[in-house]
Structure formats: C-alpha cells, structure tokens
Amino acid sequence: MADKLIIFDTTLRDGEQSPGASMTKDEKLRIARQLERLRVDVIEAGFAASSNGDFEAVKSIADHVSESIVCSLARANDRDIGRAAEALAGALARGSGARIHTFIATSELHMAAKLRMTREQVLEQARLAVRFARNLCSDVEFSPEDGYRSDPDFLCQVLEAVIDEGAGTINIPDTVGYAVPELFGDFIRRLRERVPNSERAIWSVHCHNDLGMAVANSLAGVKVGGARQVECTINGLGERAGNCSLEEVVMAVRTRRDHYGLEVGIDTTQIVPASRMVSQTTGFVVQPNKAVVGANAFAHASGIHQDGVLKARDTYEIMRAEDVGWSANKIVLGKLSGRNAFRQRLHELGIEMDSEAEVNAAFARFKDLADRKSEIFDEDIIALVGDESVTAEQEHYRLLSLAQHSETGERPHAKVAFAAGSAEFHAESDGNGPVDASLKAIESKVRSGAELMLYSVNAITSGSTESQGEVTVRLQLGGRVVNGVGADPDIVVASAKAYLSALNKLHSATDRVAAQGWP
C-alpha cells in the first residue's frame, strides 16, 4: 500500500500575510469549511497570539471544524503557546484534531540580526517550547525558521532535541525561497539520515516561491528527501511571491502516482471551488494560465490540439477538468429558476449559509441579477454570494444608487448616493472617466485619506458582453492595506461597490480613532 502524503494548508495563516489579503473571522471560517470539504489533513487557522482577531478566528475554526486537524502557529515562548492552546480549546476538548506549531529561527543571520541570541540560547528555547507545548497538546510541530540556510550541524542538534521533547512533526522551511530542487531534496535526506531519532517524527517541507520553484522544491523534498507532509496554500497565496501551491502539488502527486508512489486524501473535485472562494475573498485574481485552476488550464485554442482532444482526450490532457472541480456546463440558472434550484446549486458549489435569512438575501440578489443578465454562470453565483458575506451590522458603507453621464468631448460626471451607518449621503464629481468620477464623489464625503494602490477589473465569466465585471480596489491607510471587491454587470457600479467594500474594512473598531472625521 502506498504511503500517504499529508497536506498541511496554511492559506489562513501564511497566505493571509500577503499585503491586502487580510480576512475577517467569518471569511476565515467560510474558507476553513471549504478546506474541510476539500479534505485537507491539517488547517493552519492562524497565529493566535498575534492579535485578538486572529485568536477569535482560530477559536471559531477549532470549534466548528472536526474533519481536519486545526493548527495554530506560535513562537517558541510560553505566552504564544498558551494562547494557541486556549484558541484550540474546542478541538482539544474533543480529544483529537488540534496541533500547536511552534518555531524559532536557526540560521546564523536570523539568530544574530533578528533574535540576538546565541546558538545555546536558541537550542534551549526550542527545547523548552516543545516541552511546554507537549504538555498542552499531544500533537506538536516544530519549525526551524530559515532552516534551509542554517548550519546543518547546529540544525541537526536542535532537531534531535525537539524530537526528544515530543515534537511529532519536523518541518523544514525554505523561508526566503532560496532553494533549488536538486539541493533541497538532498538537504532533507541528509538531515533525516543524520538526526539519530528522525524516525520518531514525520518530516515536512514549507517552501516559498521567490525564485518560482516552491512546488518543485516541495516535490523534491518528498521524493528525494522522504518528507511526508507538504505545507502549501490555495492558489499559492502568500507574502512576496507566494507559497507552494496546494493544487499543483496534489495534482502532481495524483497524476504521477507512478513516480511518487504516494496517496493523498484530498477530494480533488473541491479544488476549483476552493480556489474561487479564496480568490473572491482576498481579491487576488487567479492568472488565466495558472496550472490546474486558471481559466485557460483546460482550454485548447490550437486547431491541432482541438482535433486531438476531440478524437482522444488524453492526447493533450493529462488530467480531466471535472476531476478538479471544473463544470462542463456552467449555465445552470435563469430568472425563472426557483429558490430550491438556487439552494441546490449553492450546495453543489460547496457554499454553506448559516441561516435562512442569508439564503433569502442571496436569492433576492440572484433574481435581481437574472433580470439584468440572461445567463447565470457558477462564477456569477459565487460573486453574488460573496457580496452578501458582509452582514448589515458589519457593512458601514452601502451603495444606494449611482448615475453617471459621459459624452464624447465632455468631462465625465457621476452622482452617487450611499449610506454610512444610519446616515445617507449624496455626492457628485467630475473625473477623468466615469469610474474616476464615481470614486472621487464617494471620497468627497468620506474623506478617508486612503491611498489607492491597485485598481483591477476581471471578467467573472467569458465569452459574453453580459459578463459581470469583478473589480478589486486596494487601499492603504496608516500602514494598513486592505482589498475591496465588487461585482456587477456595470463596471462603474462594480467599482463603487469595491471602493466601499475596502472602506468598510478600514472602518473597523480599531481604525475609527485614527479615522475620526469619516462620516
């Protein structure tokens, strides 16, 4: 029987470190439930000690997710580890399904420049941290940060010590994406050979994509190094150039089982729904040529390729689109469809709603969209459900109406009405274009002072002039970066929705003091 490769998903922790990818507790829980449907082995839900918001997110996920192990990251100190255990209390109470992941840097550069600790101090801190964590949780993982650039002799000493203290998983990170596959695989193999008690732990790899080799390095760590856990994220989300991509590792191991000889427990049909959910939630658009989940991943434009696929599918396809969750028939609903059909499609798309009121609100938006758009695609449904994911209590700003006037040779003009809390505001402005005029009109009343860092438009569906446009707006204020996403058949309306969505994220309780003067 083939060995199993453990899939450790860190979308909600490491993935969230991408500037602008910050998620609310409810958004994190929604994604965690999708990861559970995906049958991810371990969900790293967050860094409980980093903020009250992250603590609450980890706690909520630990309380609601039971089919996957829920993990919290913690620095190698008692406070962080204790906070992680507190957040994981729900999972710990069930007797299984909780993990504490503690780490400390071991490279000379990090120890000297960041920690300002000696080798002896780092070794002792690592040992004590794992001992303390093991007393609180039976499942403990240890990572030597910047492990790949660490001195192998010292690294082996640290790893032997933490395994003796009870670390059941040893994760070797390529923290800055410096590795290359041939060297990284051999590095993992030599560590396992040199650490005397290595067989008492599962070995794991966590690779960053700075040189574009995170997936290749991870697979080398598995095939050559003997690692049996890969840490990865949906869509390769993560800070800088991102992390190892879950969908690429899983499909590589599944498709080339003849080479890797490993099994994965992932329900691959949930890969595309997970990709869409993460993309829509964070506002990070998936590039069309992205492997497995990109819009063009299974598209054939060449006549020779089309002819080959029509005659025998495997001439140019090594995977089936259906196996990763792509739907052959994307047109599913229209304006005559009823509530039950809509609810069934939500279920097929892996979308769960907590109450009948949420279903009704989403259905009302669906009906409104169907009146304006003859064909409703899966992507449209995901977008409108995402638009409803913010409750009325959380949504401080709401678009009420928008009218814009633009003729050739004249400066565009927009009139916008929006709600801010219980107040209603009307504003108008000229601009270089209808979008510019609309956003300037909103800002003339809000006076947020936020800097617009990114404005992007993406067609939710292709091949039709009726396609909804999805707009992503990235704002920066006081060092905080947030994304806002809006969808509508009218790009100008979608832009206003996205801008207000970003303002809602800035208008959190902690920001109101800094943002005094906002309506």
Side-chain angles (χ1 to χ4, degrees), residues 71 95-96 104 119 144 209 447 491:
C71 174
S96 63
I104 192 168
R119 286 188 172 194
N209 205 40
R447 300 187 303 278
I491 290 298

Side-chain angles (χ1 to χ4, degrees), residues 2 223 251-263 318:
K223 179 64 178 178
M251 293 312 295
V253 171
R254 187 177 187 269
T255 303
R256 295 305 311 271
R257 188 177 181 276
D258 60 314
H259 177 67
Y260 291 104
L262 297 170
E263 299 286 356
I318 60 172

